[in-house]
Amino acid sequence: MTLIRDYYFRFRVLIHEIGKFGIVGAVATVITFALQNALYGHAGPTTSVVVANAVATCFAFLGNRYWAFKHRKTANMGRETVLFVFFNVVGTLIQTAFVDFNHYLLGNHDRLSLNIATVIGIVFATMFRLFCYRKFVFNSIPPTQDPAEELAAATLP
């Protein structure tokens, strides 16, 4: 039992960040699927993915900056915003590649295959985004903060 507790204390900030990132991501995923499926019959698969991801990205930025990674935010919001948008564009390209491969190269035009390709694309894009957010976007933790204060800041709503 102490081994589990020791690992929890060692990785508690990461655990909380991943949990909050997951909640924000889950809501953004619902937004993505809802908009993408609503647009699919009226626009092509690429347009559907791009528009849905643009709206979900706006939600994800607010959720990640002001909740999931709020203890990591810096005074330079412009830098964070530019990097966040850049990495989300790359994530959108990753997701679009899976959807376009399914639609144009495999010739699957039904909603089920669209949604399966979207799920696969979201998995790869999410791994990419989590790494980039932690490494490049929300990477500043005030140096004067001790681990107990960091945990408290990471867990407050």
PDB file of all heavy atoms in Angstrom, residues 129-146:
ATOM      1  N   ARG A 129      -0.938  16.042 -28.704  1.00  0.00           N
ATOM      2  CA  ARG A 129      -1.288  17.283 -28.025  1.00  0.00           C
ATOM      3  C   ARG A 129      -0.878  17.275 -26.558  1.00  0.00           C
ATOM      4  O   ARG A 129      -0.351  18.274 -26.055  1.00  0.00           O
ATOM      5  CB  ARG A 129      -2.792  17.535 -28.136  1.00  0.00           C
ATOM      6  CG  ARG A 129      -3.231  17.977 -29.512  1.00  0.00           C
ATOM      7  CD  ARG A 129      -4.745  18.152 -29.547  1.00  0.00           C
ATOM      8  NE  ARG A 129      -5.192  18.590 -30.848  1.00  0.00           N
ATOM      9  CZ  ARG A 129      -6.092  17.968 -31.585  1.00  0.00           C
ATOM     10  NH1 ARG A 129      -6.679  16.869 -31.129  1.00  0.00           N
ATOM     11  NH2 ARG A 129      -6.433  18.440 -32.757  1.00  0.00           N
ATOM     12  N   LEU A 130      -1.121  16.177 -25.844  1.00  0.00           N
ATOM     13  CA  LEU A 130      -0.756  16.117 -24.434  1.00  0.00           C
ATOM     14  C   LEU A 130       0.743  16.341 -24.270  1.00  0.00           C
ATOM     15  O   LEU A 130       1.175  17.132 -23.423  1.00  0.00           O
ATOM     16  CB  LEU A 130      -1.155  14.776 -23.806  1.00  0.00           C
ATOM     17  CG  LEU A 130      -0.728  14.590 -22.342  1.00  0.00           C
ATOM     18  CD1 LEU A 130      -1.386  15.642 -21.445  1.00  0.00           C
ATOM     19  CD2 LEU A 130      -1.080  13.196 -21.866  1.00  0.00           C
ATOM     20  N   PHE A 131       1.534  15.673 -25.068  1.00  0.00           N
ATOM     21  CA  PHE A 131       2.982  15.858 -25.001  1.00  0.00           C
ATOM     22  C   PHE A 131       3.355  17.316 -25.265  1.00  0.00           C
ATOM     23  O   PHE A 131       4.132  17.919 -24.512  1.00  0.00           O
ATOM     24  CB  PHE A 131       3.691  14.937 -26.006  1.00  0.00           C
ATOM     25  CG  PHE A 131       5.155  15.235 -26.129  1.00  0.00           C
ATOM     26  CD1 PHE A 131       6.040  14.798 -25.156  1.00  0.00           C
ATOM     27  CD2 PHE A 131       5.642  15.963 -27.196  1.00  0.00           C
ATOM     28  CE1 PHE A 131       7.393  15.090 -25.255  1.00  0.00           C
ATOM     29  CE2 PHE A 131       6.985  16.261 -27.303  1.00  0.00           C
ATOM     30  CZ  PHE A 131       7.871  15.819 -26.327  1.00  0.00           C
ATOM     31  N   CYS A 132       2.809  17.889 -26.312  1.00  0.00           N
ATOM     32  CA  CYS A 132       3.162  19.260 -26.685  1.00  0.00           C
ATOM     33  C   CYS A 132       2.667  20.296 -25.679  1.00  0.00           C
ATOM     34  O   CYS A 132       3.376  21.269 -25.399  1.00  0.00           O
ATOM     35  CB  CYS A 132       2.624  19.588 -28.076  1.00  0.00           C
ATOM     36  SG  CYS A 132       3.477  18.667 -29.372  1.00  0.00           S
ATOM     37  N   TYR A 133       1.472  20.101 -25.134  1.00  0.00           N
ATOM     38  CA  TYR A 133       0.972  21.050 -24.134  1.00  0.00           C
ATOM     39  C   TYR A 133       1.884  21.076 -22.922  1.00  0.00           C
ATOM     40  O   TYR A 133       2.229  22.139 -22.417  1.00  0.00           O
ATOM     41  CB  TYR A 133      -0.442  20.686 -23.671  1.00  0.00           C
ATOM     42  CG  TYR A 133      -1.528  20.819 -24.695  1.00  0.00           C
ATOM     43  CD1 TYR A 133      -2.800  20.338 -24.425  1.00  0.00           C
ATOM     44  CD2 TYR A 133      -1.321  21.406 -25.932  1.00  0.00           C
ATOM     45  CE1 TYR A 133      -3.820  20.441 -25.345  1.00  0.00           C
ATOM     46  CE2 TYR A 133      -2.333  21.508 -26.864  1.00  0.00           C
ATOM     47  CZ  TYR A 133      -3.584  21.022 -26.567  1.00  0.00           C
ATOM     48  OH  TYR A 133      -4.597  21.115 -27.473  1.00  0.00           O
ATOM     49  N   ARG A 134       2.257  19.901 -22.428  1.00  0.00           N
ATOM     50  CA  ARG A 134       3.091  19.839 -21.230  1.00  0.00           C
ATOM     51  C   ARG A 134       4.511  20.325 -21.511  1.00  0.00           C
ATOM     52  O   ARG A 134       5.126  20.974 -20.682  1.00  0.00           O
ATOM     53  CB  ARG A 134       3.161  18.407 -20.688  1.00  0.00           C
ATOM     54  CG  ARG A 134       1.833  17.926 -20.149  1.00  0.00           C
ATOM     55  CD  ARG A 134       1.974  16.637 -19.353  1.00  0.00           C
ATOM     56  NE  ARG A 134       2.381  16.998 -17.992  1.00  0.00           N
ATOM     57  CZ  ARG A 134       3.530  16.643 -17.452  1.00  0.00           C
ATOM     58  NH1 ARG A 134       4.382  15.924 -18.117  1.00  0.00           N
ATOM     59  NH2 ARG A 134       3.820  16.996 -16.222  1.00  0.00           N
ATOM     60  N   LYS A 135       5.034  20.013 -22.678  1.00  0.00           N
ATOM     61  CA  LYS A 135       6.434  20.326 -22.990  1.00  0.00           C
ATOM     62  C   LYS A 135       6.639  21.761 -23.464  1.00  0.00           C
ATOM     63  O   LYS A 135       7.616  22.406 -23.093  1.00  0.00           O
ATOM     64  CB  LYS A 135       6.925  19.343 -24.058  1.00  0.00           C
ATOM     65  CG  LYS A 135       8.359  19.503 -24.440  1.00  0.00           C
ATOM     66  CD  LYS A 135       9.260  18.878 -23.432  1.00  0.00           C
ATOM     67  CE  LYS A 135      10.692  18.928 -23.948  1.00  0.00           C
ATOM     68  NZ  LYS A 135      11.642  18.658 -22.932  1.00  0.00           N
ATOM     69  N   PHE A 136       5.710  22.269 -24.287  1.00  0.00           N
ATOM     70  CA  PHE A 136       5.952  23.547 -24.950  1.00  0.00           C
ATOM     71  C   PHE A 136       4.970  24.658 -24.593  1.00  0.00           C
ATOM     72  O   PHE A 136       5.338  25.827 -24.586  1.00  0.00           O
ATOM     73  CB  PHE A 136       5.934  23.364 -26.471  1.00  0.00           C
ATOM     74  CG  PHE A 136       6.919  22.357 -26.960  1.00  0.00           C
ATOM     75  CD1 PHE A 136       6.488  21.145 -27.465  1.00  0.00           C
ATOM     76  CD2 PHE A 136       8.280  22.603 -26.904  1.00  0.00           C
ATOM     77  CE1 PHE A 136       7.388  20.203 -27.921  1.00  0.00           C
ATOM     78  CE2 PHE A 136       9.195  21.664 -27.350  1.00  0.00           C
ATOM     79  CZ  PHE A 136       8.747  20.455 -27.865  1.00  0.00           C
ATOM     80  N   VAL A 137       3.705  24.324 -24.360  1.00  0.00           N
ATOM     81  CA  VAL A 137       2.693  25.365 -24.190  1.00  0.00           C
ATOM     82  C   VAL A 137       2.552  25.776 -22.734  1.00  0.00           C
ATOM     83  O   VAL A 137       2.787  26.931 -22.375  1.00  0.00           O
ATOM     84  CB  VAL A 137       1.323  24.909 -24.756  1.00  0.00           C
ATOM     85  CG1 VAL A 137       0.296  26.018 -24.602  1.00  0.00           C
ATOM     86  CG2 VAL A 137       1.459  24.511 -26.217  1.00  0.00           C
ATOM     87  N   PHE A 138       2.130  24.857 -21.892  1.00  0.00           N
ATOM     88  CA  PHE A 138       1.916  25.149 -20.469  1.00  0.00           C
ATOM     89  C   PHE A 138       3.082  24.583 -19.674  1.00  0.00           C
ATOM     90  O   PHE A 138       2.921  23.726 -18.819  1.00  0.00           O
ATOM     91  CB  PHE A 138       0.593  24.548 -19.992  1.00  0.00           C
ATOM     92  CG  PHE A 138      -0.592  24.984 -20.809  1.00  0.00           C
ATOM     93  CD1 PHE A 138      -1.271  24.088 -21.615  1.00  0.00           C
ATOM     94  CD2 PHE A 138      -1.032  26.295 -20.766  1.00  0.00           C
ATOM     95  CE1 PHE A 138      -2.368  24.481 -22.353  1.00  0.00           C
ATOM     96  CE2 PHE A 138      -2.131  26.706 -21.512  1.00  0.00           C
ATOM     97  CZ  PHE A 138      -2.796  25.798 -22.304  1.00  0.00           C
ATOM     98  N   ASN A 139       4.287  25.067 -19.953  1.00  0.00           N
ATOM     99  CA  ASN A 139       5.474  24.464 -19.366  1.00  0.00           C
ATOM    100  C   ASN A 139       6.084  25.265 -18.234  1.00  0.00           C
ATOM    101  O   ASN A 139       7.102  24.867 -17.694  1.00  0.00           O
ATOM    102  CB  ASN A 139       6.525  24.210 -20.442  1.00  0.00           C
ATOM    103  CG  ASN A 139       7.001  25.487 -21.088  1.00  0.00           C
ATOM    104  OD1 ASN A 139       6.424  26.547 -20.893  1.00  0.00           O
ATOM    105  ND2 ASN A 139       8.039  25.388 -21.886  1.00  0.00           N
ATOM    106  N   SER A 140       5.502  26.368 -17.863  1.00  0.00           N
ATOM    107  CA  SER A 140       6.079  27.182 -16.796  1.00  0.00           C
ATOM    108  C   SER A 140       5.374  26.942 -15.481  1.00  0.00           C
ATOM    109  O   SER A 140       4.184  27.195 -15.349  1.00  0.00           O
ATOM    110  CB  SER A 140       5.973  28.659 -17.141  1.00  0.00           C
ATOM    111  OG  SER A 140       6.968  29.007 -18.048  1.00  0.00           O
ATOM    112  N   ILE A 141       6.139  26.445 -14.532  1.00  0.00           N
ATOM    113  CA  ILE A 141       5.662  26.331 -13.158  1.00  0.00           C
ATOM    114  C   ILE A 141       6.494  27.331 -12.375  1.00  0.00           C
ATOM    115  O   ILE A 141       7.724  27.307 -12.468  1.00  0.00           O
ATOM    116  CB  ILE A 141       5.846  24.913 -12.599  1.00  0.00           C
ATOM    117  CG1 ILE A 141       5.034  23.925 -13.410  1.00  0.00           C
ATOM    118  CG2 ILE A 141       5.459  24.858 -11.139  1.00  0.00           C
ATOM    119  CD1 ILE A 141       5.240  22.488 -13.019  1.00  0.00           C
ATOM    120  N   PRO A 142       5.849  28.220 -11.649  1.00  0.00           N
ATOM    121  CA  PRO A 142       6.634  29.194 -10.897  1.00  0.00           C
ATOM    122  C   PRO A 142       7.674  28.504 -10.023  1.00  0.00           C
ATOM    123  O   PRO A 142       7.366  27.572  -9.292  1.00  0.00           O
ATOM    124  CB  PRO A 142       5.584  29.915 -10.038  1.00  0.00           C
ATOM    125  CG  PRO A 142       4.293  29.695 -10.761  1.00  0.00           C
ATOM    126  CD  PRO A 142       4.427  28.374 -11.449  1.00  0.00           C
ATOM    127  N   PRO A 143       8.960  28.928 -10.092  1.00  0.00           N
ATOM    128  CA  PRO A 143      10.028  28.237  -9.376  1.00  0.00           C
ATOM    129  C   PRO A 143       9.931  28.356  -7.860  1.00  0.00           C
ATOM    130  O   PRO A 143      10.500  27.544  -7.155  1.00  0.00           O
ATOM    131  CB  PRO A 143      11.308  28.914  -9.880  1.00  0.00           C
ATOM    132  CG  PRO A 143      10.870  30.211 -10.435  1.00  0.00           C
ATOM    133  CD  PRO A 143       9.442  30.038 -10.874  1.00  0.00           C
ATOM    134  N   THR A 144       9.215  29.332  -7.339  1.00  0.00           N
ATOM    135  CA  THR A 144       9.109  29.504  -5.897  1.00  0.00           C
ATOM    136  C   THR A 144       8.058  28.608  -5.278  1.00  0.00           C
ATOM    137  O   THR A 144       7.909  28.569  -4.072  1.00  0.00           O
ATOM    138  CB  THR A 144       8.766  30.962  -5.552  1.00  0.00           C
ATOM    139  OG1 THR A 144       7.520  31.299  -6.182  1.00  0.00           O
ATOM    140  CG2 THR A 144       9.855  31.905  -6.036  1.00  0.00           C
ATOM    141  N   GLN A 145       7.331  27.874  -6.102  1.00  0.00           N
ATOM    142  CA  GLN A 145       6.241  27.054  -5.594  1.00  0.00           C
ATOM    143  C   GLN A 145       6.777  25.698  -5.162  1.00  0.00           C
ATOM    144  O   GLN A 145       7.451  25.011  -5.929  1.00  0.00           O
ATOM    145  CB  GLN A 145       5.204  26.884  -6.709  1.00  0.00           C
ATOM    146  CG  GLN A 145       3.835  26.570  -6.230  1.00  0.00           C
ATOM    147  CD  GLN A 145       2.836  26.634  -7.392  1.00  0.00           C
ATOM    148  OE1 GLN A 145       3.180  26.366  -8.519  1.00  0.00           O
ATOM    149  NE2 GLN A 145       1.615  26.972  -7.083  1.00  0.00           N
ATOM    150  N   ASP A 146       6.479  25.294  -3.919  1.00  0.00           N
ATOM    151  CA  ASP A 146       6.903  23.969  -3.489  1.00  0.00           C
ATOM    152  C   ASP A 146       5.889  22.929  -3.956  1.00  0.00           C
ATOM    153  O   ASP A 146       4.787  23.269  -4.375  1.00  0.00           O
ATOM    154  CB  ASP A 146       7.132  23.913  -1.977  1.00  0.00           C
ATOM    155  CG  ASP A 146       5.860  23.986  -1.153  1.00  0.00           C
ATOM    156  OD1 ASP A 146       4.769  23.909  -1.731  1.00  0.00           O
ATOM    157  OD2 ASP A 146       5.956  24.115   0.085  1.00  0.00           O
TER     158      ASP A 146
END
